[in-house]
Amino acid sequence: MTIKTVYKRPKLLKERLFHYCPGCGHSVIHKLLCEVIDEMNLKERIVCIPPPGCSVFAYNYLDIDMAESAHGRGAAVATGIKRVSPETIVFTYQGDGDLSAIGTAETIHAANREEKITAIFVNNAVYGMTGGQMAPTTMIGQKTTTSPYGREVNKEGYPLKMSEILSVVEGTVYIERTAVNSPKNIKKTKKAISKAFQVQIDNLGFSMVEILSPCPTNWKMSPIESWHWVDKEMVKEFPLGVIKDRIKVKKC
Amino acid sequence: MNKYLISGNSVIAEAAIRAGCQCYFGYPITPQNELTEYMALHLSRKEGCTFIQAESEISAINMVYGASIAGARAMTSSSSPGISLKQEGISYLAACELPAVIVNMMRGGPGLGSISASQSDYFQATRGGGHGDYRTIVLSPASGQELADLTQRAFDLADNYRTPVIILGDGMLGQMMEPVEFHKEAPENLSTKSWALKGAKDRPSKIIKTFTSNPNELEEINWRLFRKYRLIEREEVDYETYMVEDAELIVIAYGIAARIAKGAIKKARAHNLKVGMLRPITLWPFPFKKIQEISKRVQYFFVFEMNMGQMIEDVQLALEGNGEISFYGRPGGVIPTPSEVFRILSRQYYQKGLNR
Amino acid sequence: MKAKVKMKGYIEINQESCKGCQICFYFCPKSSISDSGSINSSGYFSACFSDNSECNACGICAIVCPEAAIEVYRE
Ligand SMILES: Cc1ncc(C[n+]2csc(CCOP(=O)(O)OP(=O)(O)O)c2C)c(N)n1
Ligand code: SF4
């Protein structure tokens, strides 16, 4: 009787316990990145720019070259690397505080310059690392430590939709919003990441995958409740799917 | 060797290109725009080189950081308000031990200030400037020729010590045109940088980072930086002396202020006043020892700056209470004349009874 | 740790990596995973695979496991 391996721990994931909370989407996304980078054979030519945020320790887990950036500056740092070394695949890994608050300018302008870089944008509707403060992506009415009565639009504005904003920027080629809260969505996320990297390999322009990612700790939920909450609440504000795809146009 | 007559800002740009600078990232601000524009004209189309007009000084310095991670010689330039925005990035460069050259053509401050030449950012430049316990090498050119020479030296120092280097000029030096020779040509191939990240090919994966949850690990990083700074303090101090041998009064001034002071000293000498000058060329590391050495013979010092007195604190530290210091400064972008400085200088000279 | 069964598939759960988030409990179509009742060295109640389950090695548990603690095999 032969035994077939259906799923094995990804090769590029270092033998180390994640520091992430139980049920956290970051862990799932790390796993997917390792799988994709391995399957696309990119380890020898890929550099990741992790941010301050819960994923600041990403370097402990992904066995690839990594350079930490200052909060929100990922797209500018990636630009510097990519311009010097165009054959390197450069991607930023950014939280929603990082990419959609402090780093909006860097992101929009890198996209507009059609930088050949990829952003993995982890939207968990809060500032995770600093203890669950309100982010630009926080849901209306959502309670956080800095919106203790729930986010109010007349004071705190609306959930900021970075994928939609970036879709009207000419330099973006591929933008998809996915989630890591179910087997189906996780598979779709993996596909989207591969596609975004392929856009960069083909030198087409800026690509981004926005990933709705559960943060059970700061949402004050059990892991499984938080995975459901993504479907129940977040998806209403942040609909899943391909938001922009100019791959065909760019190729011809 | 050919002589060129171009503005100081262009001199820095040309010298940088000849030093093998491959990447320039900038954002417009007066009085240094000619530097950015020169790079746009001459670097942007050069094989293997990059020029980007960034969306902000913050982005520009972070692009420098990225380029340095990839192993390129990279620089940015700005003037005072823009340099404030770059401080975050400079701190990261220092922490990650990445080379970079940052030019500050200072203007009057605080706030938006004025666009006229000033020396208002001495503290910011020599004390690290950003957050954390770090230093940057600070070079202070005083002429067109020195803009060229020090720019080329800045790239070498940055690479040798893996640290950000600041060229602290001012709006006047940037605008002045003086004949300049470029002594060094761009190295054919710059050595590949051991730290550069381009993917984990034929080696284990590498990380460039500062963040750690372990204070002891960070302490070790700080110790390593500190040992490096000690080495720089020993090896890299540079200064010029001018007519110090018989001087009774020593002017201490740097950059364009030293140029003005030189004019004042010439007038003083014409009146038989024994005045000389020490001009620090490296503001960090500061020539503490040289000042101490001079103070063994000379009692009176006259610090002249185009601010309200910043370098004077380093002079006080150097003198350790020995010697007497007087100060003259004009802040806000006002440029004093040599005659004005001579007037103040000679008054001091007589008040101290040095003519007797 | 290794729980081999007569069925078509089986999984191995790394007890030390498991954080007891129980996501796999929910998604396993055959309800083959449950609380082991024992605490690992990080202080989590880890999950365990029930020996007499109908596991067909669909791999869903491994896909959703945030800790990459599950490996899946088919006989
Ligand atoms: C300039 C600066 N400001 C603030 C911080 C503190 N800080 C660290 S991470 C972070 C935000 C984290 O939120 P997010 O980007 O959403 O990532 P998450 O932790 O949720 O994954 C902040 C504000 C910082 N590191 N640098
Ligand atoms: S705080 Fe939230 S985002 Fe951060 S590790 Fe915990 S669950 Fe994940």
Side-chain angles (χ1 to χ4, degrees), chain C residues 13-68:
Chain C
I13 303 173
N14 182 335
Q15 298 295 314
E16 281 306 312
S17 305
C18 177
K19 288 196 183 134
C21 71
Q22 307 193 349
I23 299 280
C24 54
F25 297 12
Y26 178 85
F27 284 106
C28 173
K30 307 282 181 198
S31 304
S32 298
I33 313 171
S34 57
D35 194 341
S36 69
S38 56
I39 297 177
N40 66 17
S41 62
S42 306
Y44 294 112
F45 281 101
S46 54
C48 74
F49 181 64
S50 4
D51 275 350
N52 51 355
S53 83
E54 292 170 22
C55 175
N56 58 5
C58 69
I60 284 175
C61 54
I63 290 169
V64 297
C65 175
E67 310 304 325

Side-chain angles (χ1 to χ4, degrees), chain A residues 59 63 65-66 68 73 113, chain B residues 65 203 205 208 210-211:
Chain A
Y59 58 75
D63 186 14
D65 279 2
M66 292 217 188
E68 172 190 287
R73 318 295 175 219
R113 284 190 307 268
Chain B
Y65 176 77
R203 58 157 173 80
S205 58
I208 291 178
T210 64
F211 190 75

